[in-house]
Amino acid sequence: MSESTQIIVGVILLIGVYLLTRQVHAWQMRRAYTTVLKDLEQKEAFDPSSAVELPYAKVRIFRMGTRDYRPKAVQYMTQTGVAVMTADSKYYLRERNGNSPFPMQ
């Protein structure tokens, strides 16, 4: 195999690995989003009086093990208006119907 062919194959493999990691990251974010959504629904947190604390909502500085996507999912939910954070750092869902603005591909 010539040197130029090896370079082309290497670049194609590098692009493939990059796209695969992006897909895995998106899948993990979707899974974390649905986990947080189900958690709030199970705890029936639908208004400020029934808001609950989410222990995983805070990003920890020292974390061991695999990456936890739930804090990022909670942040996304509050930014898009699906969930609301109260003054005492508790969370509740804005709507009960379960319609998600998160793009499920």
Side-chain angles (χ1 to χ4, degrees):
M1 200 181 319
S2 70
E3 188 176 327
S4 60
T5 307
Q6 289 178 351
I7 291 172
I8 291 172
V9 168
V11 168
I12 290 173
L13 286 174
L14 185 63
I15 291 171
V17 167
Y18 174 76
L19 293 175
L20 180 65
T21 58
R22 298 287 295 172
Q23 286 294 82
V24 169
H25 178 72
W27 175 73
Q28 289 175 330
M29 281 297 294
R30 277 194 299 272
R31 201 172 90 191
Y33 183 90
T34 55
T35 300
V36 172
L37 190 64
K38 286 179 184 178
D39 194 18
L40 288 172
E41 286 175 348
Q42 286 176 351
K43 294 179 180 179
E44 297 181 0
F46 297 115
D47 54 23
S49 64
S50 64
V52 295
E53 286 188 28
L54 297 175
Y56 47 79
K58 297 176 183 155
V59 178
R60 295 180 304 197
I61 296 173
F62 300 108
R63 58 178 186 254
M64 300 292 285
T66 59
R67 182 172 178 184
D68 188 10
Y69 289 88
R70 293 177 299 179
K72 202 66 151 164
V74 171
Q75 180 185 15
Y76 178 79
M77 291 173 76
T78 55
Q79 288 176 346
T80 57
V82 174
V84 178
M85 183 175 82
T86 62
D88 55 348
S89 299
K90 293 184 178 183
Y91 295 89
Y92 67 94
L93 291 175
R94 185 172 288 215
E95 297 180 11
R96 288 184 184 208
N97 58 8
N99 289 340
S100 162
F102 198 84
M104 302 299 253
Q105 298 174 353

